[in-house]
Amino acid sequence: YTEEDQIFAYERISKKNNQKVLVISNYQNAEYKLQLKHTFEKVLLNNYGHLEVQGGMLCLKPYQTVVLK
């Protein structure tokens, strides 16, 4: 997601079991829609009560951060 200016995103890979998680943060005071490159199993962390995903499009609220597995 290096081409995205409004978010900060990175992937973490465990050395023990090769498990991957994706961390995405919206640092803007506005909603931001992001087309996910991969599907995810579950939401591990979310600083909002709800995560909106429609057809692979992630809709992040202002200052929302999610960790996806």
Side-chain angles (χ1 to χ4, degrees):
Y1 299 97
T2 57
E3 65 278 355
E4 304 292 336
D5 293 333
Q6 288 79 11
I7 64 161
F8 180 73
Y10 61 94
E11 186 176 69
R12 297 279 306 199
I13 303 171
S14 169
K15 291 181 180 180
K16 287 184 178 181
N17 58 10
N18 210 29
Q19 180 180 355
K20 297 178 186 181
V21 296
L22 177 62
V23 179
I24 305 172
S25 296
N26 177 8
Y27 285 105
Q28 303 299 313
N29 188 19
E31 289 188 2
Y32 188 76
K33 293 186 178 183
L34 175 69
Q35 182 66 47
L36 292 173
K37 296 178 182 178
H38 307 285
T39 59
F40 61 93
E41 294 175 30
K42 66 180 180 176
V43 178
L44 299 176
L45 181 69
N46 180 7
N47 66 328
Y48 277 73
H50 176 73
L51 178 62
E52 185 178 343
V53 182
Q54 298 176 7
M57 184 74 68
L58 184 66
C59 303
L60 294 168
K61 304 265 187 233
Y63 308 110
Q64 185 172 16
T65 297
V66 295
V67 179
L68 308 173
K69 177 179 174 186

